[in-house]
Amino acid sequence: MYDFSYHNPDSVAGAVSAMNKAEDGKFVAGGQTMLPTMKHRLASPSDIIVLGGIAELSGITVDGDSISIGAMTTHAEVAASSDVQAMIPALAALAANIGDPAVRNCGTIGGSVANNDPAADYPAAVIALGATVKTSKREISADDFFTGMFETALEEDELITAISFPKADAAAYMKFENPASRYAIVGVFVAKTGDDVRVGITGATPCAHRGMRLEGVLNSNFSGDALESVEIPVDKMNADIHASAEYRAHLVKVMTRRAVAACS
Amino acid sequence: MPVINLRVNGNPVSGEVEARTLLVQFLRDNLRLTGTHVGCDTSQCGACVVLMDGKSVKSCTMLAMMADDCDVTTIEGLANGSELHRMQQAFMDNHGLQCGFCTPGMIMSALDIVERNGNDLDEATIRRELTGNICRCTGYHNIVKAVKAGAKAMGD
Ligand SMILES: Cc1cc2nc3c(=O)[nH]c(=O)nc-3n(C[C@H](O)[C@H](O)[C@H](O)COP(=O)(O)OP(=O)(O)OC[C@H]3O[C@@H](n4cnc5c(N)ncnc54)[C@H](O)[C@@H]3O)c2cc1C
Ligand code: FES
Ligand code: FES
């Protein structure tokens, strides 16, 4: 990797100001995506602004019926949090199955959501639970946040500070994982609150998205059998050495069925 | 060049590093602690796992600067003179290695597993917890046995 200037600010304002002064700056959270990317020279930033020294970005707080998770909270911390386990157990279970223990000890929720890898786990939960992404500038709703492959609504100098998840009555995440990396070949997060069902799908297409057709049938009949009639458009699916488009389309239904079963 | 100060295996160390220096390069090249291995350099294999403030991390996927002010433990920090750490001894007793290249990472990961899961580990837990550590030689069977025995011995 090429050399860069290193910044270690202790506040969100300091991080944003370092970014604005940099020619081609990049934030680094856990580095679990950023460092491999830099080693491959797919990114060669002039300045690295690490977020690990900013205390206000860490920690989990319960606020009535929602739980707010600081951007720098690691996957291991989310998995082990008794508050997350009590309020949204499916979210703790999702975090516990990201990558491997060493990745979970470093990787953060903010980094995962900002990166928006098409096969990342958290985006499915953010979408299905209707979470709010809090940034250094504003609050962005889940439906507006993920805009394309590795693309989000974030501006260059905008920092995720926390993500707030409302509690669901029932929720479950099922992923068909790549056995080598544990990334999702297809992952489906189903959340049910009252009569409202939301489905977040990752891995299947270039960008995590809501499963509107699946929600349509599940809203009137919350059962695996109701899914039979739903057509998953094969031409929108990713295809690679791990799984064909047809296989992914099939997996979307299978994972949804399993998630619905785990909710009921 | 930036200077970092940290503790490695209990000893204070400091050194000048380029910002892009990886923690594993600092350990191996600056400190000559070559027990921490680089198997892939792409964050996949776990040969480079060390403990940072007690938690397992891949030292090839961390900048040395990010370990500033931290406590790092490497495989060299485990034995007490010629007396092996109980987890090391368990790898020896159970034939938990062949070429030994993956072993430092396996042992450091095993200590993190014991820290989080306790001393009485079942096979399924050990296999799930070792997903980030790749071994080309053993077929894992004896590694799993070694981690189970080592975990138990650490509790005795
Ligand atoms: C071997 C391996 C296996 C993995 N398996 C999985 C898996 O199964 N499922 C999965 O979902 N992921 C997986 N990952 C990815 C992992 O979860 C990463 O931790 C995550 O994608 C990025 O988080 P990070 O904190 O490391 O971010 P970094 O790598 O530091 O940053 C990633 C990107 O986000 C930006 N960024 C970071 N924090 C913020 C912020 N607060 N505000 C704005 N921008 C920010 C950075 O600028 C960068 O562009 C795996 C990674 C590895 C190495
Ligand atoms: S060398 Fe670090 S994971 Fe392989
Ligand atoms: S013993 Fe050779 S790689 Fe594991």
Side-chain angles (χ1 to χ4, degrees):
Chain A
M1 97 178 75
Y2 294 109
D3 210 10
F4 44 78
S5 305
Y6 184 93
H7 308 267
N8 186 10
D10 59 11
S11 68
V12 169
V16 170
S17 130
M19 179 60 93
N20 283 324
K21 284 190 201 125
E23 191 187 317
D24 176 23
K26 268 284 188 189
F27 296 122
V28 168
Q32 300 302 290
T33 294
M34 204 51 212
L35 289 177
T37 308
M38 288 165 65
K39 287 188 193 179
H40 283 122
R41 296 186 174 168
L42 293 171
S44 318
S46 62
D47 294 72
I48 283 297
I49 299 134
V50 299
L51 306 177
I54 308 178
E56 58 194 292
L57 293 181
S58 283
I60 297 172
T61 45
V62 176
D63 182 13
D65 267 350
S66 60
I67 190 158
S68 177
I69 303 181
M72 285 301 291
T73 312
T74 62
H75 308 328
E77 287 163 348
V78 172
S81 157
S82 51
D83 285 334
V84 180
Q85 284 169 4
M87 268 181 83
I88 315 178
L91 190 61
L94 175 151
N97 278 312
I98 295 175
D100 58 58
V103 167
R104 293 196 287 275
N105 281 336
C106 295
T108 67
I109 190 169
S112 176
V113 170
N115 194 51
N116 192 20
D117 188 299
D121 295 307
Y122 269 126
V126 170
I127 289 169
L129 290 164
T132 302
V133 180
K134 298 181 180 171
T135 78
S136 48
K137 298 189 180 188
R138 56 193 162 141
E139 298 195 349
I140 309 174
S141 78
D143 289 339
D144 298 330
F145 186 80
F146 303 101
T147 54
M149 187 163 150
F150 293 110
E151 302 272 339
T152 68
L154 289 175
E155 291 164 21
E156 283 296 310
D157 64 343
E158 187 171 14
L159 201 59
I160 298 180
T161 53
I163 301 176
S164 174
F165 294 90
K167 182 173 164 37
D169 294 342
Y173 178 61
M174 290 290 152
K175 99 164 136 168
F176 191 85
E177 64 182 27
N178 176 327
S181 70
R182 271 79 60 199
Y183 273 105
I185 289 177
V186 168
V188 178
F189 199 111
V190 172
K192 187 171 189 293
T193 307
D195 288 334
D196 185 38
V197 179
R198 286 175 64 109
V199 178
I201 305 174
T202 189
T205 57
C207 179
H209 63 281
R210 272 176 83 175
M212 294 294 196
R213 295 161 203 251
L214 297 160
E215 289 180 11
V217 299
L218 290 173
N219 268 321
S220 50
N221 178 7
F222 192 70
S223 79
D225 291 339
L227 300 168
E228 284 308 325
S229 60
V230 183
E231 281 291 328
I232 305 294
V234 172
D235 59 338
K236 298 242 171 66
M237 296 287 126
N238 295 333
D240 53 31
I241 55 166
H242 306 300
S244 66
E246 289 78 8
Y247 190 54
R248 278 195 166 82
H250 178 69
L251 282 176
V252 168
K253 269 206 214 179
V254 176
M255 292 302 120
T256 309
R257 180 182 267 276
R258 288 185 190 169
V260 168
C263 280
S264 346
Chain B
M1 272 201 284
V3 174
I4 53 171
N5 295 287
L6 61 160
R7 283 161 306 283
V8 177
N9 299 329
N11 305 316
V13 298
S14 61
E16 277 195 342
V17 292
E18 280 186 280
R20 63 176 163 177
T21 305
L22 299 170
L23 178 58
V24 71
Q25 293 171 323
F26 180 73
L27 293 171
R28 289 179 56 87
D29 302 346
N30 293 48
L31 303 183
R32 296 282 167 202
L33 293 172
T34 52
T36 302
H37 291 166
V38 179
C40 65
D41 204 18
T42 57
S43 320
Q44 315 284 326
C45 76
C48 65
V49 168
V50 300
L51 301 183
M52 192 164 115
D53 292 337
K55 293 185 176 133
S56 63
V57 301
K58 292 177 181 174
S59 61
C60 78
T61 314
M62 167 148 313
L63 298 171
M65 306 270 297
M66 291 165 94
D68 192 22
D69 240 2
C70 292
D71 263 298
V72 172
T73 308
T74 69
I75 191 74
E76 288 91 345
L78 299 188
N80 183 6
S82 59
E83 187 194 334
L84 293 180
H85 185 281
R86 288 178 181 190
M87 188 59 79
Q88 290 175 304
Q89 188 64 47
F91 270 69
M92 198 164 153
D93 295 344
N94 289 280
H95 203 89
L97 60 145
Q98 288 181 23
C99 80
F101 198 84
C102 68
T103 315
M106 289 286 176
I107 291 178
M108 301 317 288
S109 295
L111 297 183
D112 181 77
I113 295 171
V114 174
E115 178 66 30
R116 282 178 297 110
N117 297 276
N119 297 90
D120 186 16
L121 299 174
D122 60 37
E123 182 181 335
T125 303
I126 297 170
R127 288 187 184 273
R128 191 181 62 242
E129 291 280 351
L130 284 179
T131 44
N133 295 77
I134 294 174
C135 173
R136 297 182 62 163
C137 305
T138 61
Y140 301 98
H141 201 64
N142 287 351
I143 292 177
V144 175
K145 277 208 291 199
V147 173
K148 190 173 166 63
K152 187 161 177 304
M154 283 170 68
D156 291 343

